[in-house]
PDB file of all heavy atoms in Angstrom:
ATOM      1  N   ALA A   5       0.833  -1.206   0.000  1.00 94.00           N
ATOM      2  CA  ALA A   5       0.000   0.000   0.000  1.00 94.00           C
ATOM      3  C   ALA A   5       0.865   1.253   0.000  1.00 94.00           C
ATOM      4  O   ALA A   5       0.563   2.229  -0.699  1.00 94.00           O
ATOM      5  CB  ALA A   5      -0.947  -0.016   1.197  1.00 94.00           C
ATOM      6  N   ALA A   6       1.951   1.239   0.760  1.00 94.00           N
ATOM      7  CA  ALA A   6       2.842   2.397   0.822  1.00 94.00           C
ATOM      8  C   ALA A   6       3.514   2.639  -0.527  1.00 94.00           C
ATOM      9  O   ALA A   6       3.668   3.792  -0.957  1.00 94.00           O
ATOM     10  CB  ALA A   6       3.880   2.197   1.922  1.00 94.00           C
ATOM     11  N   VAL A   7       3.927   1.578  -1.208  1.00 95.00           N
ATOM     12  CA  VAL A   7       4.537   1.707  -2.533  1.00 95.00           C
ATOM     13  C   VAL A   7       3.520   2.305  -3.508  1.00 95.00           C
ATOM     14  O   VAL A   7       3.830   3.238  -4.250  1.00 95.00           O
ATOM     15  CB  VAL A   7       5.042   0.335  -3.037  1.00 95.00           C
ATOM     16  CG1 VAL A   7       5.339   0.366  -4.530  1.00 95.00           C
ATOM     17  CG2 VAL A   7       6.280  -0.089  -2.259  1.00 95.00           C
ATOM     18  N   ASN A   8       2.308   1.793  -3.490  1.00 95.00           N
ATOM     19  CA  ASN A   8       1.250   2.315  -4.361  1.00 95.00           C
ATOM     20  C   ASN A   8       1.006   3.794  -4.085  1.00 95.00           C
ATOM     21  O   ASN A   8       0.954   4.609  -5.009  1.00 95.00           O
ATOM     22  CB  ASN A   8      -0.031   1.508  -4.165  1.00 95.00           C
ATOM     23  CG  ASN A   8      -1.143   1.962  -5.074  1.00 95.00           C
ATOM     24  OD1 ASN A   8      -0.963   2.060  -6.277  1.00 95.00           O
ATOM     25  ND2 ASN A   8      -2.292   2.262  -4.479  1.00 95.00           N
ATOM     26  N   ARG A   9       0.884   4.134  -2.814  1.00 96.00           N
ATOM     27  CA  ARG A   9       0.632   5.531  -2.425  1.00 96.00           C
ATOM     28  C   ARG A   9       1.767   6.434  -2.911  1.00 96.00           C
ATOM     29  O   ARG A   9       1.524   7.518  -3.451  1.00 96.00           O
ATOM     30  CB  ARG A   9       0.474   5.606  -0.906  1.00 96.00           C
ATOM     31  CG  ARG A   9       0.061   6.944  -0.374  1.00 96.00           C
ATOM     32  CD  ARG A   9      -0.331   6.905   1.115  1.00 96.00           C
ATOM     33  NE  ARG A   9       0.489   6.051   1.960  1.00 96.00           N
ATOM     34  CZ  ARG A   9       0.134   4.834   2.410  1.00 96.00           C
ATOM     35  NH1 ARG A   9      -1.042   4.316   2.082  1.00 96.00           N
ATOM     36  NH2 ARG A   9       0.928   4.135   3.186  1.00 96.00           N
ATOM     37  N   ARG A  10       3.006   5.992  -2.745  1.00 96.00           N
ATOM     38  CA  ARG A  10       4.153   6.808  -3.164  1.00 96.00           C
ATOM     39  C   ARG A  10       4.125   7.059  -4.674  1.00 96.00           C
ATOM     40  O   ARG A  10       4.358   8.174  -5.127  1.00 96.00           O
ATOM     41  CB  ARG A  10       5.456   6.134  -2.759  1.00 96.00           C
ATOM     42  CG  ARG A  10       6.674   6.943  -3.118  1.00 96.00           C
ATOM     43  CD  ARG A  10       7.906   6.423  -2.417  1.00 96.00           C
ATOM     44  NE  ARG A  10       9.040   7.274  -2.684  1.00 96.00           N
ATOM     45  CZ  ARG A  10       9.344   8.377  -2.033  1.00 96.00           C
ATOM     46  NH1 ARG A  10       8.570   8.791  -1.047  1.00 96.00           N
ATOM     47  NH2 ARG A  10      10.410   9.084  -2.337  1.00 96.00           N
ATOM     48  N   LEU A  11       3.838   6.016  -5.434  1.00 96.00           N
ATOM     49  CA  LEU A  11       3.780   6.185  -6.887  1.00 96.00           C
ATOM     50  C   LEU A  11       2.684   7.169  -7.285  1.00 96.00           C
ATOM     51  O   LEU A  11       2.911   8.076  -8.096  1.00 96.00           O
ATOM     52  CB  LEU A  11       3.564   4.829  -7.565  1.00 96.00           C
ATOM     53  CG  LEU A  11       4.745   3.859  -7.493  1.00 96.00           C
ATOM     54  CD1 LEU A  11       4.322   2.481  -7.960  1.00 96.00           C
ATOM     55  CD2 LEU A  11       5.934   4.382  -8.278  1.00 96.00           C
ATOM     56  N   VAL A  12       1.503   7.015  -6.707  1.00 97.00           N
ATOM     57  CA  VAL A  12       0.376   7.893  -7.038  1.00 97.00           C
ATOM     58  C   VAL A  12       0.677   9.320  -6.615  1.00 97.00           C
ATOM     59  O   VAL A  12       0.392  10.269  -7.354  1.00 97.00           O
ATOM     60  CB  VAL A  12      -0.931   7.359  -6.399  1.00 97.00           C
ATOM     61  CG1 VAL A  12      -2.058   8.362  -6.547  1.00 97.00           C
ATOM     62  CG2 VAL A  12      -1.313   6.021  -7.027  1.00 97.00           C
ATOM     63  N   GLU A  13       1.276   9.507  -5.444  1.00 97.00           N
ATOM     64  CA  GLU A  13       1.630  10.852  -4.981  1.00 97.00           C
ATOM     65  C   GLU A  13       2.612  11.533  -5.918  1.00 97.00           C
ATOM     66  O   GLU A  13       2.676  12.758  -5.975  1.00 97.00           O
ATOM     67  CB  GLU A  13       2.217  10.790  -3.570  1.00 97.00           C
ATOM     68  CG  GLU A  13       1.179  10.525  -2.496  1.00 97.00           C
ATOM     69  CD  GLU A  13       1.788  10.279  -1.121  1.00 97.00           C
ATOM     70  OE1 GLU A  13       3.036  10.129  -1.016  1.00 97.00           O
ATOM     71  OE2 GLU A  13       1.013  10.222  -0.155  1.00 97.00           O
ATOM     72  N   HIS A  14       3.402  10.749  -6.647  1.00 97.00           N
ATOM     73  CA  HIS A  14       4.360  11.305  -7.598  1.00 97.00           C
ATOM     74  C   HIS A  14       3.793  11.362  -9.017  1.00 97.00           C
ATOM     75  O   HIS A  14       4.531  11.516  -9.986  1.00 97.00           O
ATOM     76  CB  HIS A  14       5.659  10.500  -7.563  1.00 97.00           C
ATOM     77  CG  HIS A  14       6.506  10.849  -6.382  1.00 97.00           C
ATOM     78  ND1 HIS A  14       6.302  10.300  -5.135  1.00 97.00           N
ATOM     79  CD2 HIS A  14       7.545  11.708  -6.251  1.00 97.00           C
ATOM     80  CE1 HIS A  14       7.178  10.801  -4.296  1.00 97.00           C
ATOM     81  NE2 HIS A  14       7.940  11.664  -4.941  1.00 97.00           N
ATOM     82  N   GLY A  15       2.465  11.228  -9.125  1.00 97.00           N
ATOM     83  CA  GLY A  15       1.809  11.379 -10.419  1.00 97.00           C
ATOM     84  C   GLY A  15       1.932  10.184 -11.341  1.00 97.00           C
ATOM     85  O   GLY A  15       1.730  10.309 -12.547  1.00 97.00           O
ATOM     86  N   ILE A  16       2.246   9.029 -10.799  1.00 95.00           N
ATOM     87  CA  ILE A  16       2.391   7.821 -11.609  1.00 95.00           C
ATOM     88  C   ILE A  16       1.144   6.964 -11.434  1.00 95.00           C
ATOM     89  O   ILE A  16       0.797   6.589 -10.316  1.00 95.00           O
ATOM     90  CB  ILE A  16       3.654   7.032 -11.203  1.00 95.00           C
ATOM     91  CG1 ILE A  16       4.888   7.913 -11.438  1.00 95.00           C
ATOM     92  CG2 ILE A  16       3.744   5.713 -11.961  1.00 95.00           C
ATOM     93  CD1 ILE A  16       6.151   7.402 -10.807  1.00 95.00           C
ATOM     94  N   ASP A  17       0.458   6.703 -12.526  1.00 94.00           N
ATOM     95  CA  ASP A  17      -0.750   5.883 -12.483  1.00 94.00           C
ATOM     96  C   ASP A  17      -0.390   4.420 -12.246  1.00 94.00           C
ATOM     97  O   ASP A  17       0.511   3.888 -12.891  1.00 94.00           O
ATOM     98  CB  ASP A  17      -1.529   5.982 -13.797  1.00 94.00           C
ATOM     99  CG  ASP A  17      -2.090   7.374 -14.029  1.00 94.00           C
ATOM    100  OD1 ASP A  17      -2.316   8.095 -13.043  1.00 94.00           O
ATOM    101  OD2 ASP A  17      -2.285   7.734 -15.207  1.00 94.00           O
ATOM    102  N   VAL A  18      -1.094   3.796 -11.326  1.00 94.00           N
ATOM    103  CA  VAL A  18      -0.921   2.372 -11.048  1.00 94.00           C
ATOM    104  C   VAL A  18      -2.167   1.672 -11.575  1.00 94.00           C
ATOM    105  O   VAL A  18      -3.274   1.957 -11.139  1.00 94.00           O
ATOM    106  CB  VAL A  18      -0.746   2.113  -9.533  1.00 94.00           C
ATOM    107  CG1 VAL A  18      -0.642   0.630  -9.258  1.00 94.00           C
ATOM    108  CG2 VAL A  18       0.482   2.859  -9.016  1.00 94.00           C
ATOM    109  N   HIS A  19      -1.973   0.773 -12.526  1.00 92.00           N
ATOM    110  CA  HIS A  19      -3.106   0.103 -13.168  1.00 92.00           C
ATOM    111  C   HIS A  19      -3.442  -1.228 -12.523  1.00 92.00           C
ATOM    112  O   HIS A  19      -4.580  -1.675 -12.608  1.00 92.00           O
ATOM    113  CB  HIS A  19      -2.835  -0.088 -14.658  1.00 92.00           C
ATOM    114  CG  HIS A  19      -2.694   1.218 -15.375  1.00 92.00           C
ATOM    115  ND1 HIS A  19      -3.763   1.950 -15.815  1.00 92.00           N
ATOM    116  CD2 HIS A  19      -1.589   1.943 -15.689  1.00 92.00           C
ATOM    117  CE1 HIS A  19      -3.331   3.066 -16.381  1.00 92.00           C
ATOM    118  NE2 HIS A  19      -2.032   3.090 -16.314  1.00 92.00           N
ATOM    119  N   ALA A  20      -2.483  -1.866 -11.885  1.00 90.00           N
ATOM    120  CA  ALA A  20      -2.739  -3.156 -11.230  1.00 90.00           C
ATOM    121  C   ALA A  20      -1.600  -3.475 -10.282  1.00 90.00           C
ATOM    122  O   ALA A  20      -0.460  -3.091 -10.517  1.00 90.00           O
ATOM    123  CB  ALA A  20      -2.876  -4.267 -12.258  1.00 90.00           C
ATOM    124  N   ILE A  21      -1.951  -4.159  -9.212  1.00 89.00           N
ATOM    125  CA  ILE A  21      -0.967  -4.673  -8.262  1.00 89.00           C
ATOM    126  C   ILE A  21      -1.358  -6.119  -7.985  1.00 89.00           C
ATOM    127  O   ILE A  21      -2.524  -6.412  -7.735  1.00 89.00           O
ATOM    128  CB  ILE A  21      -0.963  -3.888  -6.938  1.00 89.00           C
ATOM    129  CG1 ILE A  21      -0.543  -2.444  -7.177  1.00 89.00           C
ATOM    130  CG2 ILE A  21      -0.058  -4.560  -5.920  1.00 89.00           C
ATOM    131  CD1 ILE A  21      -0.601  -1.584  -5.941  1.00 89.00           C
ATOM    132  N   GLY A  22      -0.395  -7.005  -8.041  1.00 84.00           N
ATOM    133  CA  GLY A  22      -0.712  -8.396  -7.761  1.00 84.00           C
ATOM    134  C   GLY A  22       0.540  -9.221  -7.567  1.00 84.00           C
ATOM    135  O   GLY A  22       1.637  -8.813  -7.936  1.00 84.00           O
ATOM    136  N   ALA A  23       0.350 -10.370  -6.988  1.00 78.00           N
ATOM    137  CA  ALA A  23       1.452 -11.310  -6.786  1.00 78.00           C
ATOM    138  C   ALA A  23       1.655 -12.113  -8.065  1.00 78.00           C
ATOM    139  O   ALA A  23       0.700 -12.469  -8.747  1.00 78.00           O
ATOM    140  CB  ALA A  23       1.137 -12.242  -5.631  1.00 78.00           C
ATOM    141  N   VAL A  24       2.895 -12.365  -8.368  1.00 73.00           N
ATOM    142  CA  VAL A  24       3.239 -13.153  -9.545  1.00 73.00           C
ATOM    143  C   VAL A  24       4.076 -14.328  -9.091  1.00 73.00           C
ATOM    144  O   VAL A  24       5.079 -14.161  -8.405  1.00 73.00           O
ATOM    145  CB  VAL A  24       4.035 -12.307 -10.569  1.00 73.00           C
ATOM    146  CG1 VAL A  24       4.463 -13.146 -11.753  1.00 73.00           C
ATOM    147  CG2 VAL A  24       3.222 -11.112 -11.005  1.00 73.00           C
ATOM    148  N   GLU A  25       3.648 -15.502  -9.471  1.00 71.00           N
ATOM    149  CA  GLU A  25       4.418 -16.699  -9.175  1.00 71.00           C
ATOM    150  C   GLU A  25       5.448 -16.876 -10.279  1.00 71.00           C
ATOM    151  O   GLU A  25       5.113 -16.877 -11.452  1.00 71.00           O
ATOM    152  CB  GLU A  25       3.498 -17.932  -9.135  1.00 71.00           C
ATOM    153  CG  GLU A  25       2.457 -17.871  -8.034  1.00 71.00           C
ATOM    154  CD  GLU A  25       3.056 -17.977  -6.640  1.00 71.00           C
ATOM    155  OE1 GLU A  25       4.058 -18.687  -6.472  1.00 71.00           O
ATOM    156  OE2 GLU A  25       2.520 -17.327  -5.735  1.00 71.00           O
ATOM    157  N   GLY A  26       6.716 -17.001  -9.900  1.00 67.00           N
ATOM    158  CA  GLY A  26       7.761 -17.186 -10.892  1.00 67.00           C
ATOM    159  C   GLY A  26       7.993 -18.654 -11.189  1.00 67.00           C
ATOM    160  O   GLY A  26       7.827 -19.503 -10.325  1.00 67.00           O
ATOM    161  N   ASP A  27       8.383 -18.936 -12.431  1.00 66.00           N
ATOM    162  CA  ASP A  27       8.785 -20.301 -12.742  1.00 66.00           C
ATOM    163  C   ASP A  27      10.226 -20.491 -12.267  1.00 66.00           C
ATOM    164  O   ASP A  27      10.920 -19.542 -11.924  1.00 66.00           O
ATOM    165  CB  ASP A  27       8.623 -20.599 -14.240  1.00 66.00           C
ATOM    166  CG  ASP A  27       9.445 -19.659 -15.109  1.00 66.00           C
ATOM    167  OD1 ASP A  27      10.567 -19.304 -14.721  1.00 66.00           O
ATOM    168  OD2 ASP A  27       8.956 -19.290 -16.191  1.00 66.00           O
ATOM    169  N   LEU A  28      10.699 -21.701 -12.233  1.00 68.00           N
ATOM    170  CA  LEU A  28      12.037 -21.973 -11.705  1.00 68.00           C
ATOM    171  C   LEU A  28      13.121 -21.249 -12.485  1.00 68.00           C
ATOM    172  O   LEU A  28      14.091 -20.770 -11.889  1.00 68.00           O
ATOM    173  CB  LEU A  28      12.300 -23.477 -11.690  1.00 68.00           C
ATOM    174  CG  LEU A  28      11.504 -24.255 -10.647  1.00 68.00           C
ATOM    175  CD1 LEU A  28      11.808 -25.744 -10.771  1.00 68.00           C
ATOM    176  CD2 LEU A  28      11.825 -23.780  -9.246  1.00 68.00           C
ATOM    177  N   ASP A  29      12.981 -21.150 -13.795  1.00 66.00           N
ATOM    178  CA  ASP A  29      13.987 -20.440 -14.588  1.00 66.00           C
ATOM    179  C   ASP A  29      14.071 -18.972 -14.184  1.00 66.00           C
ATOM    180  O   ASP A  29      15.157 -18.427 -14.023  1.00 66.00           O
ATOM    181  CB  ASP A  29      13.668 -20.534 -16.084  1.00 66.00           C
ATOM    182  CG  ASP A  29      13.895 -21.919 -16.648  1.00 66.00           C
ATOM    183  OD1 ASP A  29      14.704 -22.675 -16.056  1.00 66.00           O
ATOM    184  OD2 ASP A  29      13.272 -22.244 -17.666  1.00 66.00           O
ATOM    185  N   SER A  30      12.926 -18.325 -14.005  1.00 68.00           N
ATOM    186  CA  SER A  30      12.916 -16.913 -13.618  1.00 68.00           C
ATOM    187  C   SER A  30      13.504 -16.718 -12.229  1.00 68.00           C
ATOM    188  O   SER A  30      14.273 -15.784 -11.997  1.00 68.00           O
ATOM    189  CB  SER A  30      11.486 -16.370 -13.644  1.00 68.00           C
ATOM    190  OG  SER A  30      10.971 -16.409 -14.940  1.00 68.00           O
ATOM    191  N   ILE A  31      13.142 -17.595 -11.309  1.00 67.00           N
ATOM    192  CA  ILE A  31      13.677 -17.497  -9.946  1.00 67.00           C
ATOM    193  C   ILE A  31      15.189 -17.665  -9.966  1.00 67.00           C
ATOM    194  O   ILE A  31      15.923 -16.883  -9.342  1.00 67.00           O
ATOM    195  CB  ILE A  31      13.013 -18.534  -9.034  1.00 67.00           C
ATOM    196  CG1 ILE A  31      11.521 -18.202  -8.866  1.00 67.00           C
ATOM    197  CG2 ILE A  31      13.708 -18.589  -7.676  1.00 67.00           C
ATOM    198  CD1 ILE A  31      10.712 -19.295  -8.218  1.00 67.00           C
ATOM    199  N   PHE A  32      15.676 -18.655 -10.706  1.00 70.00           N
ATOM    200  CA  PHE A  32      17.121 -18.872 -10.808  1.00 70.00           C
ATOM    201  C   PHE A  32      17.823 -17.650 -11.381  1.00 70.00           C
ATOM    202  O   PHE A  32      18.827 -17.189 -10.842  1.00 70.00           O
ATOM    203  CB  PHE A  32      17.395 -20.114 -11.663  1.00 70.00           C
ATOM    204  CG  PHE A  32      18.855 -20.373 -11.873  1.00 70.00           C
ATOM    205  CD1 PHE A  32      19.627 -20.911 -10.857  1.00 70.00           C
ATOM    206  CD2 PHE A  32      19.461 -20.063 -13.080  1.00 70.00           C
ATOM    207  CE1 PHE A  32      20.980 -21.133 -11.038  1.00 70.00           C
ATOM    208  CE2 PHE A  32      20.810 -20.284 -13.270  1.00 70.00           C
ATOM    209  CZ  PHE A  32      21.565 -20.838 -12.248  1.00 70.00           C
ATOM    210  N   MET A  33      17.277 -17.097 -12.467  1.00 68.00           N
ATOM    211  CA  MET A  33      17.909 -15.925 -13.088  1.00 68.00           C
ATOM    212  C   MET A  33      17.873 -14.735 -12.152  1.00 68.00           C
ATOM    213  O   MET A  33      18.832 -13.954 -12.108  1.00 68.00           O
ATOM    214  CB  MET A  33      17.222 -15.606 -14.421  1.00 68.00           C
ATOM    215  CG  MET A  33      17.455 -16.673 -15.488  1.00 68.00           C
ATOM    216  SD  MET A  33      19.191 -17.090 -15.740  1.00 68.00           S
ATOM    217  CE  MET A  33      19.777 -15.581 -16.471  1.00 68.00           C
ATOM    218  N   ASP A  34      16.806 -14.576 -11.392  1.00 69.00           N
ATOM    219  CA  ASP A  34      16.740 -13.487 -10.423  1.00 69.00           C
ATOM    220  C   ASP A  34      17.833 -13.638  -9.370  1.00 69.00           C
ATOM    221  O   ASP A  34      18.480 -12.666  -8.983  1.00 69.00           O
ATOM    222  CB  ASP A  34      15.363 -13.438  -9.748  1.00 69.00           C
ATOM    223  CG  ASP A  34      14.285 -12.913 -10.670  1.00 69.00           C
ATOM    224  OD1 ASP A  34      14.627 -12.330 -11.719  1.00 69.00           O
ATOM    225  OD2 ASP A  34      13.105 -13.080 -10.333  1.00 69.00           O
ATOM    226  N   LEU A  35      18.034 -14.848  -8.898  1.00 72.00           N
ATOM    227  CA  LEU A  35      19.071 -15.095  -7.889  1.00 72.00           C
ATOM    228  C   LEU A  35      20.454 -14.817  -8.452  1.00 72.00           C
ATOM    229  O   LEU A  35      21.270 -14.166  -7.816  1.00 72.00           O
ATOM    230  CB  LEU A  35      18.982 -16.535  -7.380  1.00 72.00           C
ATOM    231  CG  LEU A  35      17.791 -16.860  -6.491  1.00 72.00           C
ATOM    232  CD1 LEU A  35      17.749 -18.358  -6.238  1.00 72.00           C
ATOM    233  CD2 LEU A  35      17.872 -16.082  -5.186  1.00 72.00           C
ATOM    234  N   ILE A  36      20.716 -15.310  -9.628  1.00 76.00           N
ATOM    235  CA  ILE A  36      22.018 -15.099 -10.251  1.00 76.00           C
ATOM    236  C   ILE A  36      22.241 -13.610 -10.535  1.00 76.00           C
ATOM    237  O   ILE A  36      23.305 -13.077 -10.267  1.00 76.00           O
ATOM    238  CB  ILE A  36      22.147 -15.903 -11.568  1.00 76.00           C
ATOM    239  CG1 ILE A  36      22.048 -17.402 -11.280  1.00 76.00           C
ATOM    240  CG2 ILE A  36      23.438 -15.591 -12.301  1.00 76.00           C
ATOM    241  CD1 ILE A  36      23.077 -17.926 -10.324  1.00 76.00           C
TER     242      ILE A  36
END
């Protein structure tokens, strides 16, 4: 909520917020 509020306060439109489940390849690449 704080991240959303900060973006909106700075004039940045937020169209959606949600959790994303990563596949193993994405998780591995993120770690690396």
